[in-house]
Amino acid sequence: MQHIPALWHDPETHLARHQPDLPILYFSPRVLHQTAARFQAGFPGLVTYAVKANPHPAVLSNLVAAGIETFDVASPGEMAAVRAASPTAVMHYNNPVRSQAEVQAGIKNGVASWSVDELSELDKLAEVPRSCEIAVRFALPVSGAAYDFGSKFGAAPAEAVDLLQRVAAAGWVPSLCFHPGTQCEDPNAWVEYLGEASRICEAAGVKISRLNVGGGFAANRDGLAPNLEQAFDAIGQAARRGFGPDQPLLICEPGRAMVSESFTLAARIKGLRKGGDVVYLNDGIYGGLVDIRDMGLPGRVYVVASNGVHRSAKATPRVVFGPTCDSLDRLPDGLPLAQDAQVGDYVLMPGLGAYSSAMSTQFNGYGLSDIATVIELSGTRHG
Ligand SMILES: *Cc1c(COP(=O)(O)O)cnc(C)c1O
């Protein structure tokens, strides 16, 4: 019989019972469903999910259950992960640089939409069925995101005009796409991109039926919640302004903002030195905290004793090292931790569903692998 893992009430209950000595992620499917519903209610178009942020089978199958039927994939490995979650899911293959073998894998997996940002890449797609959509990816030098994606992928607008004309002339379904950069806190980035999208279509003389506005939606940062609805409204208005009543169907493909809040990471304190100023955790930048290194903390951090009770003393800033023997394995900004934290306690970090387990290595024999399912995530219960 199929094994269905137990559902715990919250991370604290699980920690107190099992006292895990390896870092662990707590997953709340309920929170993931709520976030999916928020995107579906607010975004003025089709909501898809960028698999790379967290490709765990439980994430994909819960998104399918929440009504997400289209996935942004970047590799044959992600195609297989999506197929395992849903035999009928639609795939958009939006990694614009592909080997011939990857193109064949995309065709075999029935990819419905392909992005392209260079003529050399369009040439590789000759065998893609003409019923498919090809979305020309363009990039602008706009700011607003924590880091910009335009430096790696994306055609300049003039090249995009040329590519769009070629796509249409070859008989594919022409479309445009862009990605404003991850953790994009300024809706204006989308507004600028949408304005340029309408100019590209006009210059090319090509009518597109769909327009993919990428991911990049902000997740909580430093405990502040983003105003997703403001971004959704700005996108809807900019599309109407640029394209008029005949506007293309909008598509978004959030990764980070869809999944981040549905996971909380628990790392254990292995050692305290210098009167507690220096903390050694059992997870670090080669494990689930790589994104904290680059992006900062999503939310508040909680220290929980091994009996599940929250430490309540005032938080003080600490130097924080990960478990490996590499001296780079250190959080650049440290963490504020309750003054009464002890060795054997757990540090709970909410908002770590995106780019955590997906990027965790097994360097030095450490890394994230355990996940437990909970109803409530931490921060909702205090000792
Ligand atoms: C990474 C990526 C996304 C998701 O980005 P987030 O910042 O996590 O929302 C969406 N689309 C493409 C093409 C990507 O490469």
Side-chain angles (χ1 to χ4, degrees), residues 21-269:
D21 206 47
L22 295 174
I24 181 166
L25 278 170
Y26 291 101
F27 171 45
S28 169
R30 192 179 55 84
V31 173
L32 183 60
H33 280 251
Q34 283 170 349
T35 310
R38 186 174 174 193
F39 268 93
Q40 286 162 323
F43 182 75
L46 177 70
V47 179
T48 76
Y49 172 65
V51 171
K52 79 171 183 287
N54 191 328
H56 193 282
V59 169
L60 300 181
S61 59
N62 273 287
L63 286 172
V64 169
I68 304 287
E69 285 158 358
T70 306
F71 294 84
D72 164 50
V73 295
S75 59
E78 289 186 352
M79 292 172 203
V82 168
R83 270 292 159 262
S86 164
T88 56
V90 177
M91 289 190 252
H92 293 172
Y93 189 178
N94 287 336
N95 181 345
V97 182
R98 306 174 183 91
S99 71
Q100 279 301 348
E102 288 172 336
V103 172
Q104 289 306 321
I107 293 172
K108 207 163 128 262
N109 278 289
V111 162
S113 178
W114 305 66
S115 74
V116 73
D117 66 352
E118 242 238 11
L119 193 50
S120 63
E121 292 296 331
L122 184 60
D123 290 341
K124 291 182 194 167
L125 302 185
E127 287 175 37
V128 168
R130 294 307 189 261
S131 56
C132 290
E133 175 183 77
I134 294 190
V136 174
R137 179 158 170 176
F138 68 101
L140 295 177
V142 300
S143 58
Y147 55 96
D148 182 15
F149 281 20
S151 57
K152 181 163 181 184
F153 297 135
E159 291 171 78
V161 169
D162 176 55
L163 283 167
L164 192 61
Q165 287 172 332
R166 288 173 189 267
V167 166
W172 286 294
V173 179
S175 166
L176 283 178
C177 66
F178 61 83
H179 192 296
T182 202
Q183 188 64 21
C184 185
E185 287 168 0
D186 182 1
N188 218 34
W190 281 279
V191 173
E192 286 183 41
Y193 266 102
L194 283 160
E196 192 60 45
S198 68
R199 286 189 289 275
I200 289 169
C201 292
E202 208 181 298
V206 172
K207 184 168 159 14
I208 55 172
S209 57
R210 306 205 299 177
L211 171 54
N212 182 337
V213 305
F217 298 92
N220 289 9
R221 196 57 43 193
D222 298 324
L224 293 176
N227 189 340
L228 289 177
E229 285 70 21
Q230 191 188 356
F232 299 155
D233 291 347
I235 289 168
Q237 282 164 20
R240 277 193 295 281
R241 248 194 331 273
F243 290 89
D246 207 16
Q247 70 170 74
L249 173 70
L250 299 176
I251 302 171
C252 68
E253 46 189 23
R256 177 186 300 284
M258 183 67 88
V259 75
S260 59
E261 283 303 304
S262 53
F263 286 80
T264 289
L265 187 145
R268 197 170 205 183
I269 299 177

Side-chain angles (χ1 to χ4, degrees), residues 266-303:
R268 197 170 205 183
I269 299 177
K270 294 179 69 182
L272 289 171
R273 292 190 184 175
K274 305 207 165 137
D277 285 349
V278 177
V279 177
Y280 290 77
L281 294 181
N282 68 354
D283 198 18
I285 66 158
Y286 296 105
L289 300 180
V290 56
D291 195 56
I292 285 200
R293 176 194 64 182
D294 296 326
M295 308 286 296
L297 260 186
R300 291 178 59 197
V301 252
Y302 305 93
V303 179

